[in-house]
């Protein structure tokens, strides 16, 4: 290495398989957002059937749509919230084994 040279390594970014409309925003995120939009429309219609005023109906629509968009919105350096929830759910469903050697004493007395 020559004097004045620095050691900088290029670390590649993870590559996602699948089509992306924007960086980090692909087809699964669009589906989650559309599901939130549908939930907002259903909340709007339910509140409309109850007969509540329009501002309350609008808030119900925005709440459902906002939840869908919030779940799908990717943070700058990470996975969207819905992927973290799915990964947590899958992790909790896995059986866990904690190997333990019954022949080994718990305390090593030296």
């Amino acid at each position: 290495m020559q004097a004045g040279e620095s050691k900088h390594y290029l670390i590649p970014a993870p590559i996602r398989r699948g089509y992306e409309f924007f960086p980090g925003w692909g087809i699964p995120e669009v589906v989650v957002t559309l599901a939130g939009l549908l939930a907002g429309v259903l909340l709007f219609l339910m509140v409309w059937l109850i007969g509540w005023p329009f501002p309350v109906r609008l808030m119900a629509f925005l709440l459902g749509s906002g939840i869908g968009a919030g779940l799908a919105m990717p943070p700058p350096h990470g996975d969207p919230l819905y992927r973290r929830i799915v990964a947590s759910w899958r992790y909790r469903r896995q059986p866990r084994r904690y190997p333990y050697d019954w022949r080994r004493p718990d305390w090593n007395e030296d």
Side-chain angles (χ1 to χ4, degrees):
M1 179 176 252
Q2 300 282 335
E5 284 186 36
S6 63
K7 286 186 174 181
H8 291 284
Y9 299 103
L10 296 176
I11 300 173
I15 299 172
R16 286 188 58 190
R17 292 175 24 176
Y19 182 75
E20 289 186 345
F21 299 106
F22 305 107
W25 191 264
I27 293 174
E29 287 80 10
V30 171
V31 170
V32 170
T33 304
L34 289 177
L37 186 65
L38 180 66
V41 168
L42 290 176
L43 281 173
F44 181 85
L45 291 175
M46 286 173 41
V47 173
W48 176 68
L49 288 175
I50 294 173
W52 289 357
F54 181 75
V56 176
R57 286 183 262 168
L58 183 63
M59 289 302 293
F61 172 73
L62 291 176
L63 178 69
S65 301
I67 288 173
L71 285 173
M73 187 65 61
H77 300 290
D79 287 334
L81 183 59
Y82 82 93
R83 286 194 185 178
R84 292 180 185 189
I85 292 170
V86 168
S88 171
W89 179 73
R90 286 182 181 164
Y91 174 76
R92 278 192 242 129
R93 285 185 49 219
Q94 289 179 351
R96 290 176 194 75
R97 282 195 227 171
Y98 301 103
Y100 184 76
D101 187 4
W102 292 98
R103 293 172 280 138
R104 198 180 108 215
D106 288 335
W107 300 100
N108 290 333
E109 296 180 16
D110 293 328

